[in-house]
Amino acid sequence: IGEATKPAALENDSNEKQSSGLGINKRKSQPKKLAVGQGGTALLSSPNRSQGATQDDRDDSSSENSIGNGDGSENDNNGDENNSHASGSSSDSSQQAAILAALLQGGQGEAIRAYLNRHESFNTSDMGQCVPMHMPAPPSFPNEMADFLRSPLCQSICVLAGAGMSVSSGIPDFRSAGVGLYDTIRPELLTATELEQAIIEDDPTIALDKGMFLRNPLPMLELKRDFILGTQAKKWKATLAHRFVELLHTKLGKLTRLYTQNIDGLELQTSIPKEKIVNVHGSMGAAACEQCEVEVDFDEFCEKISSNIKDITGRDENAPVTSTPITCDACGNPSVKPTIVLFRGSMPQLFHRRVAEDLPECDLLIIIGTSLQVSPANSLVYRIPPTALRMVMNNEKVGRMLGILYGEDSVRDVFAHGHSDETCLDLCSAMGWLPDLAEIIDELPESSARLLRQRLEQREEE
C-alpha cells in the first residue's frame, strides 16, 4: 500500500471495473499501488514525479512496498504499457479480493480503510498541491484542523520549529535591535588577538565560526557563557508552543518528530522523549568535543564554564578574571563546547537519518515560528508526500518559494496567522486541552502564563 495515483489511471479502467468490480492496470517497471475506485480496487502505477521532484522524492516513491502477484513478484506486460487485464482473469480478481479482505480484517483494518479513503483519488494539476479530491479545500483553522488531528486520516505529525517558538521565553536572538549579538558584541573584551578582534568586529558571526573555534575556542565560550549557564539553571521556560507540541505526543500520540532549529534546549523541559527530538542546529543543553565528538556530562561542563571562562558582562562576581580552555578528557584538545552547530560546521547526521525515516509517512507538517529561509531544515516543506497537509503557524506568510500557497489557490496549506503562543493556544482550545495547560501554568514563562489565564477567564465567562 503506497501513495495513490492520478485519477486518469482510475479512468482508464472505469469500464472494466463497472462490469467486474475489479480491474488490474499494469505499468512496466513501475511499482504497483493499491487504490480504491467507485467500483472496486485496482493495482496502479506510481504517479510521475519527475517534474519538480527531488532525488529523495524519486527514491521514496520507488522504494515503497508494492502488492504484486501474491508471491511478491511484479507483474510484467511484456512491453505493452497500455495492456491491462480486465475481468477475464477470475483468478487474479479473486486473489486481489482475498488480499484486500485480509488487510481490512486485520488489527489495523480501520487505519487501512482511512488510508485508502484518503488516497482514493487525486487532483494532480499541480503536484505541489496534490491532495485527495474528497478534501476539496484544506481544513479551516482551528476547528476543522482539530477534527483532522483527531481523525484516522492523521496518523503521523512532524513539527518544524524556529525562533518564534521560543520568543515568549525572553531569549534574545542574533538580530534583535539593542539586544542581539550583532548590536551588543564588544570584541575588545574577548580573549583574542588584535587581528581576531578586528575580524570579529567586522563580522560578529566569526566568533561562532568553526575555524575560529578550533584556532581559539575562548571567544565563543565567553560569548555564550550566560546562555550555557542560563540553560542549565532553566532561566528560560518552555512556552505554550512547546507545550502544544508536547500534547501532540501525550494526548494525541501522533507526534513522530520535532525538528527544532533552536539551540535553546527548551524542548528538554517537556516530556517529549529525546528520541522524538532532532536538534537541527544542535543544542545548548548538551556538550561534546568538537574534534573527537565524545559526549561530555553537561553539568560537569557547566562547572568548568563557571570556573574557567570569564564573564564579559561583569555580572558574575565569582567568575575568573581570565579565561582558560576546557580540554577534552578523551583526546586532550581544548575543543569541548555545547553541541550547537557552528558556522561552517557540519549538520548532525541524525537529521538526515530521521528525515529519510519520517517524511515518507508524514500526514501533517506543522511549521511554527520560522522564516523557512535556512536550509536544509526548510527542505521538509517539499520533501513530505504530496498528500500531506502543511500548517503554517506564523506571524507572517512564509515559504512561497518552497511551494506553500496561501488563499483560495491553496488545497493543502493551512495558515494560522499570529504569534506562535497565540495560534498554538487556539488549537489547544479547539482540541479541549486547556485543562491540561492549566495544570502547568506555573511552569510557563510570564507572557505565556498571562495569555493562558486570559483564555481560561474567557472560557469561564462563556
Side-chain angles (χ1 to χ4, degrees):
I1 299 177
E3 292 180 23
T5 58
K6 300 182 180 181
L10 291 172
E11 293 171 1
N12 289 340
D13 288 341
S14 60
N15 294 333
E16 298 171 13
K17 286 190 283 186
Q18 288 175 0
S19 62
S20 66
L22 185 65
I24 299 177
N25 178 23
K26 298 182 179 180
R27 300 285 188 233
K28 183 178 180 180
S29 301
Q30 294 204 20
K32 305 302 185 288
K33 311 289 178 149
L34 181 63
V36 178
Q38 294 180 352
T41 61
L43 285 177
L44 305 171
S45 61
S46 298
N48 183 357
R49 300 172 128 192
S50 60
Q51 295 183 350
T54 64
Q55 182 62 44
D56 291 326
D57 291 330
R58 292 191 291 271
D59 290 345
D60 289 344
S61 65
S62 63
S63 63
E64 290 179 343
N65 293 333
S66 61
I67 299 178
N69 291 324
D71 57 358
S73 61
E74 294 251 313
N75 292 321
D76 193 346
N77 59 12
N78 295 323
D80 183 4
E81 290 190 352
N82 293 320
N83 179 37
S84 62
H85 292 263
S87 58
S89 174
S90 61
S91 61
D92 284 348
S93 298
S94 60
Q95 191 172 40
Q96 299 304 322
I99 292 174
L100 182 59
L103 288 171
L104 296 179
Q105 292 173 6
Q108 300 297 322
E110 181 179 352
I112 292 173
R113 283 190 180 88
Y115 183 93
L116 294 176
N117 287 334
R118 176 179 174 184
H119 295 273
E120 182 171 356
S121 57
F122 291 83
N123 176 5
T124 55
S125 58
D126 179 356
M127 287 304 293
Q129 291 285 316
C130 175
V131 295
M133 292 184 68
H134 73 270
M135 187 182 290
S140 62
F141 182 87
N143 294 330
E144 289 183 3
M145 177 53 70
D147 292 337
F148 176 75
L149 289 176
R150 297 187 193 97
S151 75
L153 301 181
C154 181
Q155 295 294 329
S156 175
I157 300 173
C158 292
V159 177
L160 175 61
M165 189 181 202
S166 299
V167 68
S168 62
S169 69
I171 297 177
D173 60 26
F174 279 81
R175 298 173 178 83
S176 295
V179 294
L181 173 66
Y182 294 156
D183 280 2
T184 60
I185 190 170
R186 296 179 59 188
E188 71 275 9
L189 298 179
L190 301 176
T191 305
T193 65
E194 290 185 7
L195 177 59
E196 290 171 343
Q197 290 176 351
I199 294 173
I200 292 172
E201 184 175 12
D202 290 341
D203 182 1
T205 63
I206 294 298
L208 305 178
D209 179 86
K210 181 175 180 178
M212 171 64 81
F213 179 80
L214 295 178
R215 174 189 176 95
N216 178 6
L218 296 180
M220 192 279 284
L221 295 177
E222 289 169 351
L223 279 173
K224 293 299 182 182
R225 185 182 193 273
D226 272 3
F227 203 161
I228 295 169
L229 297 180
T231 300
Q232 182 197 30
K234 297 183 179 180
K235 178 179 179 180
W236 304 282
K237 298 180 179 180
T239 67
L240 280 171
H242 290 93
R243 298 301 180 176
F244 162 70
V245 178
E246 179 182 27
L247 291 171
L248 291 177
H249 170 66
T250 59
K251 297 289 290 185
L252 207 58
K254 295 182 179 181
L255 177 66
T256 296
R257 206 79 59 193
L258 166 60
Y259 292 87
T260 177
Q261 301 171 84
N262 302 329
I263 63 172
D264 50 45
L266 294 183
E267 65 280 349
L268 298 177
Q269 296 180 19
T270 72
S271 62
I272 301 173
K274 288 186 178 181
E275 60 269 19
K276 286 187 175 289
I277 300 171
V278 173
N279 297 104
V280 181
H281 300 144
S283 174
M284 199 65 76
C289 176
E290 183 71 9
Q291 299 240 37
C292 69
E293 300 182 352
V294 170
E295 294 184 2
V296 177
D297 181 82
F298 185 64
D299 289 331
E300 293 180 3
F301 170 69
C302 289
E303 289 179 7
K304 292 182 179 179
I305 287 290
S306 181
S307 61
N308 289 29
I309 305 301
K310 70 179 183 179
D311 178 18
I312 59 175
T313 68
R315 290 190 294 263
D316 186 355
E317 298 179 354
N318 298 319
V321 177
T322 59
S323 297
T324 54
I326 300 175
T327 57
C328 173
D329 292 337
C331 68
N333 289 305
S335 49
V336 179
K337 68 171 188 59
T339 58
I340 59 174
V341 178
L342 299 174
F343 289 104
R344 293 197 298 148
S346 300
M347 293 289 292
Q349 289 301 311
L350 179 63
F351 169 78
H352 302 289
R353 291 200 303 269
R354 292 293 187 240
V355 163
E357 295 171 4
D358 300 341
L359 298 195
E361 303 299 326
C362 178
D363 297 309
L364 172 65
L365 175 65
I366 302 178
I367 300 161
I368 304 178
T370 172
S371 64
L372 291 180
Q373 293 180 356
V374 179
S375 63
N378 62 3
S379 68
L380 271 64
V381 169
Y382 54 81
R383 294 177 69 179
I384 60 174
T387 56
L389 300 186
R390 301 180 293 206
M391 178 169 61
V392 179
M393 309 179 80
N394 216 40
N395 212 20
E396 58 186 11
K397 297 176 180 178
V398 296
R400 290 183 177 93
M401 294 294 292
L402 303 174
I404 295 180
L405 295 181
Y406 296 92
E408 296 180 355
D409 293 335
S410 174
V411 293
R412 64 181 294 205
D413 297 320
V414 179
F415 183 42
H417 180 246
H419 293 290
S420 298
D421 268 13
E422 294 173 352
T423 53
C424 288
L425 185 58
D426 289 339
L427 193 48
C428 283
S429 178
M431 293 293 294
W433 293 343
L434 290 185
D436 300 278
L437 293 175
E439 293 180 1
I440 58 168
I441 193 168
D442 293 335
E443 301 176 26
L444 295 172
E446 181 53 37
S447 60
S448 295
R450 183 169 57 252
L451 183 62
L452 178 57
R453 289 191 188 97
Q454 293 173 353
R455 187 64 57 90
L456 292 172
E457 290 173 359
Q458 292 175 0
R459 179 58 59 91
E460 289 179 0
E461 292 176 358
E462 293 173 357

Coordinates of all heavy atoms in Angstrom, one line a residue, residues 24-97:
I24 N -7.2 -4.6 -13.0 CA -5.8 -4.5 -12.8 C -5.2 -3.8 -13.9 O -5.3 -4.2 -15.1 CB -5.1 -5.9 -12.6 CG1 -5.7 -6.6 -11.4 CG2 -3.6 -5.7 -12.4 CD1 -5.2 -8.0 -11.3
N25 N -4.5 -2.6 -13.7 CA -3.9 -1.9 -14.7 C -2.4 -2.0 -14.5 O -1.9 -1.7 -13.4 CB -4.3 -0.4 -14.6 CG -3.6 0.4 -15.6 OD1 -3.1 -0.1 -16.6 ND2 -3.5 1.8 -15.4
K26 N -1.6 -2.5 -15.5 CA -0.2 -2.8 -15.3 C 0.6 -1.7 -16.0 O 0.3 -1.3 -17.1 CB 0.1 -4.2 -15.8 CG -0.6 -5.3 -15.1 CD -0.2 -6.6 -15.7 CE -0.9 -7.8 -15.0 NZ -0.5 -9.1 -15.5
R27 N 1.7 -1.4 -15.4 CA 2.7 -0.5 -16.0 C 4.1 -1.2 -15.8 O 4.5 -1.6 -14.8 CB 2.7 0.8 -15.2 CG 1.4 1.6 -15.2 CD 1.2 2.2 -16.6 NE 0.0 3.1 -16.6 CZ -1.0 3.0 -17.4 NH1 -1.0 2.0 -18.3 NH2 -2.0 3.8 -17.3
K28 N 4.8 -1.2 -16.9 CA 6.0 -2.0 -16.9 C 7.1 -1.2 -16.1 O 7.2 0.0 -16.2 CB 6.5 -2.1 -18.3 CG 7.8 -2.9 -18.4 CD 8.3 -3.1 -19.9 CE 9.6 -3.9 -19.9 NZ 10.1 -4.0 -21.3
S29 N 7.8 -2.0 -15.3 CA 8.9 -1.5 -14.5 C 8.6 -0.3 -13.5 O 9.4 0.5 -13.3 CB 10.0 -1.0 -15.5 OG 10.4 -2.0 -16.3
Q30 N 7.3 -0.3 -13.1 CA 7.0 0.7 -12.1 C 6.3 0.0 -10.9 O 5.6 -1.0 -11.1 CB 6.0 1.7 -12.6 CG 6.7 2.6 -13.7 CD 6.0 3.9 -13.8 OE1 5.3 4.4 -12.9 NE2 6.2 4.6 -14.9
P31 N 6.5 0.4 -9.7 CA 5.9 -0.2 -8.5 C 4.4 -0.1 -8.6 O 3.9 0.9 -9.0 CB 6.5 0.5 -7.3 CG 6.9 1.8 -7.9 CD 7.3 1.6 -9.3
K32 N 3.7 -1.1 -8.1 CA 2.2 -1.1 -8.2 C 1.7 -0.5 -6.9 O 2.2 -0.7 -5.8 CB 1.7 -2.5 -8.4 CG 2.3 -3.2 -9.6 CD 2.0 -2.4 -10.9 CE 2.5 -3.2 -12.1 NZ 3.9 -3.2 -12.2
K33 N 0.6 0.2 -7.0 CA -0.1 0.8 -5.8 C -1.5 0.4 -5.7 O -2.2 0.2 -6.7 CB 0.0 2.4 -6.0 CG 1.4 2.9 -6.3 CD 2.3 2.8 -5.2 CE 3.7 3.3 -5.6 NZ 4.4 3.8 -4.5
L34 N -2.0 0.2 -4.5 CA -3.3 -0.2 -4.3 C -4.2 1.0 -4.2 O -4.0 1.8 -3.3 CB -3.4 -1.1 -3.1 CG -4.8 -1.6 -2.7 CD1 -5.3 -2.5 -3.8 CD2 -4.8 -2.3 -1.4
A35 N -5.2 1.2 -5.0 CA -6.1 2.3 -4.9 C -7.5 1.8 -4.9 O -7.8 0.7 -5.4 CB -5.9 3.3 -6.1
V36 N -8.4 2.6 -4.4 CA -9.8 2.2 -4.3 C -10.6 3.1 -5.2 O -10.6 4.4 -5.1 CB -10.3 2.3 -2.9 CG1 -11.8 1.9 -2.9 CG2 -9.5 1.4 -2.0
G37 N -11.4 2.6 -6.2 CA -12.2 3.3 -7.0 C -13.7 3.1 -6.6 O -14.0 2.4 -5.7
Q38 N -14.6 3.7 -7.4 CA -16.0 3.6 -7.0 C -16.5 2.2 -7.2 O -17.4 1.7 -6.5 CB -16.8 4.6 -7.9 CG -16.5 6.0 -7.5 CD -17.4 6.9 -8.4 OE1 -18.0 6.5 -9.3 NE2 -17.3 8.2 -8.1
G39 N -15.9 1.4 -8.1 CA -16.4 0.1 -8.4 C -15.6 -1.0 -7.8 O -16.0 -2.2 -7.8
G40 N -14.5 -0.7 -7.2 CA -13.7 -1.8 -6.6 C -12.2 -1.3 -6.4 O -12.0 -0.2 -6.1
T41 N -11.3 -2.3 -6.5 CA -9.9 -1.9 -6.3 C -9.1 -2.1 -7.6 O -9.6 -2.8 -8.5 CB -9.3 -2.8 -5.3 OG1 -9.4 -4.2 -5.7 CG2 -10.0 -2.7 -3.9
A42 N -8.0 -1.5 -7.7 CA -7.1 -1.6 -8.9 C -5.7 -1.5 -8.5 O -5.4 -0.7 -7.6 CB -7.5 -0.6 -9.9
L43 N -4.8 -2.2 -9.1 CA -3.4 -2.0 -8.9 C -2.9 -1.0 -10.0 O -3.1 -1.3 -11.2 CB -2.6 -3.4 -9.1 CG -2.8 -4.3 -7.9 CD1 -2.1 -5.6 -8.2 CD2 -2.2 -3.7 -6.6
L44 N -2.3 0.0 -9.5 CA -2.0 1.1 -10.4 C -0.5 1.5 -10.3 O 0.1 1.2 -9.3 CB -2.8 2.4 -10.0 CG -4.3 2.2 -10.0 CD1 -5.0 3.4 -9.4 CD2 -4.9 1.9 -11.4
S45 N 0.0 2.1 -11.4 CA 1.4 2.5 -11.3 C 1.6 3.8 -10.5 O 0.6 4.5 -10.3 CB 1.9 2.7 -12.8 OG 1.2 3.8 -13.4
S46 N 2.8 4.0 -10.2 CA 3.2 5.2 -9.4 C 2.9 6.5 -10.2 O 3.1 6.5 -11.4 CB 4.6 5.2 -8.9 OG 4.9 4.1 -8.1
P47 N 2.6 7.6 -9.6 CA 2.5 8.9 -10.3 C 3.8 9.3 -10.8 O 4.9 9.0 -10.2 CB 2.0 9.8 -9.2 CG 2.4 9.3 -7.9 CD 2.4 7.8 -8.1
N48 N 3.8 10.0 -11.9 CA 5.1 10.6 -12.5 C 5.5 11.8 -11.7 O 4.9 12.8 -11.7 CB 4.8 11.0 -13.9 CG 6.1 11.4 -14.6 OD1 7.2 11.5 -13.9 ND2 6.0 11.8 -15.9
R49 N 6.6 11.7 -11.0 CA 7.1 12.7 -10.1 C 8.3 13.4 -10.7 O 9.0 14.1 -10.0 CB 7.4 12.2 -8.7 CG 6.3 11.5 -8.0 CD 6.8 10.9 -6.8 NE 6.1 11.2 -5.6 CZ 6.5 11.0 -4.4 NH1 7.6 10.4 -4.1 NH2 5.7 11.4 -3.4
S50 N 8.6 13.3 -11.9 CA 9.8 13.8 -12.5 C 9.9 15.3 -12.5 O 10.9 15.9 -12.3 CB 10.0 13.3 -13.9 OG 9.0 13.7 -14.7
Q51 N 8.7 16.0 -12.7 CA 8.7 17.4 -12.7 C 8.7 18.0 -11.3 O 7.8 17.7 -10.5 CB 7.5 17.9 -13.5 CG 7.5 17.5 -15.0 CD 6.3 18.1 -15.7 OE1 5.4 18.6 -15.1 NE2 6.4 18.0 -17.0
G52 N 9.7 18.8 -11.0 CA 9.7 19.5 -9.7 C 10.0 18.6 -8.5 O 9.9 18.9 -7.4
A53 N 10.4 17.3 -8.8 CA 10.7 16.4 -7.7 C 12.2 16.3 -7.4 O 13.0 16.4 -8.3 CB 10.2 15.0 -8.0
T54 N 12.6 16.1 -6.2 CA 14.0 16.0 -5.8 C 14.3 14.5 -6.0 O 13.5 13.6 -6.1 CB 14.2 16.4 -4.4 OG1 13.5 15.5 -3.5 CG2 13.8 17.8 -4.2
Q55 N 15.6 14.2 -5.9 CA 16.1 12.8 -6.0 C 15.5 12.0 -4.8 O 15.2 10.9 -5.0 CB 17.6 12.8 -5.9 CG 18.2 11.4 -6.1 CD 17.8 10.7 -7.4 OE1 17.8 11.3 -8.4 NE2 17.3 9.5 -7.3
D56 N 15.4 12.7 -3.6 CA 14.8 12.0 -2.5 C 13.4 11.6 -2.8 O 12.9 10.5 -2.4 CB 14.9 12.9 -1.2 CG 16.3 13.1 -0.8 OD1 17.1 12.2 -0.9 OD2 16.6 14.2 -0.3
D57 N 12.6 12.5 -3.4 CA 11.2 12.2 -3.8 C 11.2 10.9 -4.7 O 10.4 10.0 -4.5 CB 10.6 13.3 -4.5 CG 10.3 14.5 -3.5 OD1 10.2 14.3 -2.3 OD2 10.4 15.6 -4.0
R58 N 12.0 10.9 -5.7 CA 12.0 9.8 -6.6 C 12.4 8.5 -5.9 O 11.9 7.4 -6.1 CB 12.9 10.1 -7.8 CG 12.4 11.2 -8.7 CD 13.2 11.2 -10.0 NE 14.5 11.7 -9.8 CZ 14.9 13.0 -9.8 NH1 14.0 13.9 -9.9 NH2 16.1 13.3 -9.6
D59 N 13.4 8.6 -5.0 CA 13.9 7.4 -4.3 C 12.8 6.9 -3.4 O 12.6 5.7 -3.3 CB 15.1 7.7 -3.5 CG 16.3 8.0 -4.4 OD1 16.3 7.6 -5.5 OD2 17.3 8.5 -3.8
D60 N 12.1 7.8 -2.7 CA 11.0 7.4 -1.8 C 9.9 6.7 -2.6 O 9.4 5.6 -2.1 CB 10.4 8.6 -1.1 CG 11.3 9.2 -0.1 OD1 12.3 8.5 0.3 OD2 11.1 10.3 0.4
S61 N 9.5 7.2 -3.7 CA 8.4 6.6 -4.5 C 8.8 5.3 -5.0 O 7.9 4.4 -5.2 CB 8.0 7.6 -5.6 OG 9.0 7.7 -6.6
S62 N 10.1 5.1 -5.4 CA 10.5 3.8 -6.0 C 10.7 2.7 -5.0 O 10.8 1.6 -5.3 CB 11.7 4.0 -6.8 OG 12.8 4.4 -6.0
S63 N 10.9 3.1 -3.7 CA 11.2 2.1 -2.7 C 10.0 1.7 -1.8 O 10.2 0.9 -0.9 CB 12.3 2.7 -1.8 OG 11.8 3.8 -1.1
E64 N 8.8 2.2 -2.1 CA 7.7 1.8 -1.3 C 7.3 0.4 -1.6 O 7.5 -0.2 -2.6 CB 6.5 2.8 -1.6 CG 6.8 4.2 -1.0 CD 5.6 5.1 -1.4 OE1 4.8 4.7 -2.2 OE2 5.5 6.1 -0.7
N65 N 6.6 -0.2 -0.6 CA 6.1 -1.6 -0.7 C 5.1 -1.7 -1.8 O 4.3 -0.8 -2.0 CB 5.5 -2.1 0.6 CG 6.5 -2.2 1.7 OD1 7.7 -2.4 1.4 ND2 6.1 -2.0 2.9
S66 N 5.1 -2.7 -2.6 CA 4.1 -2.9 -3.6 C 3.4 -4.3 -3.4 O 3.9 -5.2 -2.8 CB 4.8 -2.8 -5.0 OG 5.7 -3.9 -5.1
I67 N 2.2 -4.4 -4.0 CA 1.5 -5.6 -3.9 C 1.5 -6.2 -5.4 O 0.9 -5.6 -6.3 CB 0.1 -5.4 -3.4 CG1 0.1 -4.9 -2.0 CG2 -0.7 -6.7 -3.5 CD1 -1.2 -4.6 -1.4
G68 N 2.0 -7.3 -5.6 CA 2.1 -7.9 -6.9 C 1.2 -9.1 -7.1 O 0.0 -9.0 -7.0
N69 N 1.8 -10.2 -7.5 CA 1.0 -11.4 -7.8 C 0.6 -12.3 -6.6 O 0.1 -13.3 -6.8 CB 1.8 -12.3 -8.8 CG 1.9 -11.6 -10.1 OD1 1.0 -11.0 -10.6 ND2 3.1 -11.8 -10.8
G70 N 0.9 -11.8 -5.4 CA 0.6 -12.6 -4.2 C 1.8 -13.3 -3.7 O 1.9 -13.6 -2.6
D71 N 2.9 -13.4 -4.6 CA 4.1 -14.1 -4.2 C 5.2 -13.1 -4.1 O 6.4 -13.4 -4.0 CB 4.5 -15.2 -5.2 CG 4.7 -14.7 -6.6 OD1 4.4 -13.5 -6.8 OD2 5.0 -15.5 -7.5
G72 N 4.9 -11.8 -4.2 CA 5.9 -10.7 -4.0 C 6.5 -10.3 -5.4 O 7.3 -9.4 -5.4
S73 N 6.2 -11.0 -6.5 CA 6.8 -10.7 -7.8 C 6.0 -9.6 -8.4 O 4.8 -9.4 -8.2 CB 6.8 -11.9 -8.7 OG 5.5 -12.4 -8.9
E74 N 6.6 -8.8 -9.3 CA 6.0 -7.8 -10.1 C 5.3 -8.3 -11.3 O 5.9 -9.2 -12.0 CB 7.0 -6.7 -10.4 CG 7.6 -5.9 -9.3 CD 7.0 -4.5 -9.2 OE1 7.0 -3.9 -10.3 OE2 6.6 -4.1 -8.2
N75 N 4.2 -7.8 -11.7 CA 3.6 -8.1 -13.0 C 4.3 -7.5 -14.1 O 4.9 -6.5 -14.0 CB 2.1 -7.6 -13.0 CG 1.2 -8.3 -12.0 OD1 1.4 -9.5 -11.8 ND2 0.3 -7.6 -11.4
D76 N 4.4 -8.2 -15.2 CA 5.1 -7.8 -16.4 C 4.1 -7.9 -17.6 O 3.5 -8.9 -17.8 CB 6.4 -8.6 -16.7 CG 7.3 -7.9 -17.7 OD1 6.8 -7.0 -18.4 OD2 8.4 -8.3 -17.8
N77 N 4.1 -6.8 -18.4 CA 3.1 -6.9 -19.5 C 3.9 -7.0 -20.8 O 3.3 -6.7 -21.9 CB 2.2 -5.6 -19.5 CG 3.1 -4.3 -19.6 OD1 4.3 -4.4 -19.9 ND2 2.4 -3.2 -19.4
N78 N 5.2 -7.5 -20.8 CA 5.9 -7.7 -22.0 C 6.0 -6.5 -22.9 O 6.0 -6.6 -24.1 CB 5.3 -8.9 -22.8 CG 5.4 -10.2 -22.0 OD1 6.3 -10.4 -21.3 ND2 4.3 -11.0 -22.1
G79 N 6.2 -5.3 -22.3 CA 6.5 -4.1 -23.0 C 5.3 -3.3 -23.4 O 5.4 -2.2 -23.9
D80 N 4.1 -3.9 -23.3 CA 2.9 -3.1 -23.8 C 2.4 -2.3 -22.6 O 1.7 -2.9 -21.7 CB 1.9 -4.1 -24.3 CG 0.6 -3.4 -24.8 OD1 0.6 -2.1 -24.8 OD2 -0.3 -4.1 -25.2
E81 N 2.7 -1.0 -22.5 CA 2.3 -0.2 -21.4 C 0.8 -0.1 -21.3 O 0.3 0.2 -20.2 CB 3.0 1.1 -21.4 CG 4.5 1.0 -21.1 CD 5.1 2.4 -20.9 OE1 4.4 3.4 -21.2 OE2 6.2 2.5 -20.6
N82 N 0.1 -0.1 -22.4 CA -1.3 0.1 -22.4 C -2.1 -1.2 -22.1 O -3.3 -1.2 -22.1 CB -1.8 0.7 -23.7 CG -1.2 2.1 -23.9 OD1 -1.2 2.9 -22.9 ND2 -0.8 2.5 -25.1
N83 N -1.4 -2.3 -22.0 CA -2.1 -3.6 -21.8 C -2.6 -3.7 -20.4 O -1.9 -3.4 -19.5 CB -1.1 -4.7 -22.1 CG -1.8 -6.1 -21.9 OD1 -2.9 -6.2 -22.2 ND2 -1.0 -7.0 -21.4
S84 N -3.9 -4.0 -20.2 CA -4.4 -4.2 -18.9 C -5.3 -5.4 -18.9 O -5.9 -5.7 -19.9 CB -5.2 -2.9 -18.5 OG -6.3 -2.7 -19.4
H85 N -5.4 -6.0 -17.7 CA -6.2 -7.2 -17.5 C -7.6 -6.8 -17.0 O -7.6 -6.1 -16.0 CB -5.5 -8.2 -16.5 CG -4.3 -8.8 -17.1 ND1 -4.2 -10.0 -17.7 CD2 -3.0 -8.3 -17.2 CE1 -3.0 -10.3 -18.1 NE2 -2.2 -9.2 -17.8
A86 N -8.6 -7.2 -17.6 CA -10.0 -6.9 -17.2 C -10.5 -8.1 -16.4 O -9.8 -8.8 -15.7 CB -10.9 -6.6 -18.3
S87 N -11.8 -8.3 -16.4 CA -12.4 -9.3 -15.6 C -12.2 -10.7 -16.2 O -12.7 -11.7 -15.6 CB -13.9 -9.0 -15.4 OG -14.5 -9.0 -16.7
G88 N -11.4 -10.8 -17.3 CA -11.3 -12.2 -17.9 C -10.5 -13.1 -17.0 O -10.7 -14.3 -17.1
S89 N -9.7 -12.6 -16.1 CA -8.9 -13.5 -15.3 C -9.6 -13.5 -13.9 O -9.3 -12.7 -13.0 CB -7.5 -13.0 -15.1 OG -6.7 -13.7 -14.2
S90 N -10.4 -14.5 -13.7 CA -11.1 -14.6 -12.4 C -10.1 -14.9 -11.2 O -10.3 -14.5 -10.1 CB -12.2 -15.7 -12.5 OG -11.6 -16.9 -12.8
S91 N -9.0 -15.6 -11.6 CA -8.1 -16.0 -10.5 C -7.4 -14.7 -10.0 O -7.2 -14.6 -8.8 CB -7.0 -17.0 -11.0 OG -6.3 -16.4 -12.1
D92 N -7.0 -13.8 -10.9 CA -6.4 -12.6 -10.5 C -7.4 -11.8 -9.6 O -7.0 -11.2 -8.6 CB -6.0 -11.7 -11.7 CG -4.7 -12.2 -12.3 OD1 -4.1 -13.1 -11.7 OD2 -4.4 -11.8 -13.4
S93 N -8.7 -11.7 -10.1 CA -9.7 -11.0 -9.3 C -9.9 -11.5 -7.9 O -9.9 -10.8 -6.9 CB -11.0 -11.0 -10.1 OG -10.9 -10.4 -11.3
S94 N -10.0 -12.8 -7.8 CA -10.2 -13.4 -6.5 C -9.0 -13.3 -5.6 O -9.1 -13.1 -4.4 CB -10.6 -14.9 -6.7 OG -9.6 -15.6 -7.3
Q95 N -7.8 -13.3 -6.3 CA -6.6 -13.2 -5.5 C -6.5 -11.8 -4.9 O -6.1 -11.6 -3.7 CB -5.4 -13.5 -6.4 CG -4.1 -13.7 -5.6 CD -3.0 -14.1 -6.5 OE1 -2.9 -13.7 -7.6 NE2 -2.1 -15.0 -6.0
Q96 N -6.8 -10.8 -5.7 CA -6.7 -9.4 -5.2 C -7.7 -9.2 -4.2 O -7.5 -8.5 -3.2 CB -6.8 -8.4 -6.4 CG -5.8 -8.6 -7.5 CD -4.4 -8.4 -6.9 OE1 -4.2 -7.6 -6.0 NE2 -3.4 -9.2 -7.4
A97 N -8.9 -9.7 -4.4 CA -10.0 -9.5 -3.4 C -9.6 -10.2 -2.0 O -9.9 -9.7 -1.0 CB -11.3 -10.1 -3.9

